[in-house]
Amino acid sequence: MTTETTNPVTIEAPEGLPYVDIERVFDAPVAAVFDAHRDPEKVKRWLGPNGYDMQIERWDFRPQGGYRYVHVDPDGGRWAFNGTFHSIRENELAVQTFEFEGAPDVVSIESMTFEDLGDGRTRLRGHAVYPSLEARDAMVEHGMAKGVTEGYERLDALLAERRPS
């Protein structure tokens, strides 16, 4: 399920640099957006591309906590990811590692900042640094924009459930 939004996602992968910046505004308070990243039952409803089933094996959203999940595509293909949460500041920041198990030893470090814009709106900024330009380019070329965009549309729908009509 998706919801209409006027808040586009911006994804920048600067030429020659091994990082990606992602930015998106949500029409929901910081605490709700942060909680949607912390609570595994909520994460499972929005993270990743449309049509994939998300199976969370571990989601320990705290400093030095870890995670592992598997996305199962409509044809039964399995795509596993894991990492460690490093720094977590309530309603402000989350820093984690991220590894696609199909490309072992290619680990990115990602930070997400949650900015209160007032009026019940939040700006989410992500910054992911890869070990090489080739690793960054492979991530971008294998559907990152589709997964992020579709996931954030589902996050909009999840957050809208909390808002009064």
Side-chain angles (χ1 to χ4, degrees), residues 32-60:
V33 177
F34 189 83
D35 187 56
H37 285 76
R38 170 188 19 229
D39 181 337
E41 290 306 310
K42 292 177 182 170
V43 169
K44 156 183 213 189
R45 291 181 55 196
W46 70 264
L47 185 65
N50 290 339
Y52 285 49
D53 177 48
M54 183 175 188
Q55 301 168 353
I56 296 179
E57 294 179 6
R58 182 174 71 253
W59 194 267
D60 187 11

Side-chain angles (χ1 to χ4, degrees), residues 57-153:
E57 294 179 6
R58 182 174 71 253
W59 194 267
D60 187 11
F61 192 78
R62 63 178 178 81
Q64 286 69 60
Y67 69 90
R68 184 173 192 272
Y69 61 87
V70 178
H71 277 133
V72 181
D73 70 30
D75 297 323
R78 298 175 62 83
W79 312 93
F81 304 87
N82 73 78
T84 301
F85 296 110
H86 290 268
S87 299
I88 305 287
R89 285 200 310 266
E90 184 86 11
N91 300 330
E92 276 183 51
L93 172 77
V95 178
Q96 68 187 43
T97 58
F98 177 86
E99 180 179 17
F100 166 50
E101 293 178 9
D105 305 325
V106 176
V107 179
S108 64
I109 187 157
E110 304 178 344
S111 61
M112 291 176 287
T113 57
F114 300 78
E115 179 186 355
D116 185 346
L117 298 176
D119 295 327
R121 300 178 75 225
T122 301
R123 176 177 291 117
L124 177 61
R125 286 190 176 116
H127 180 74
V129 179
Y130 296 85
S132 69
L133 187 57
E134 294 77 21
R136 189 281 312 258
D137 288 349
M139 183 63 82
V140 170
E141 291 165 10
H142 287 92
M144 172 190 270
K146 178 180 180 355
V148 168
T149 301
E150 291 178 356
Y152 283 170
E153 288 170 353

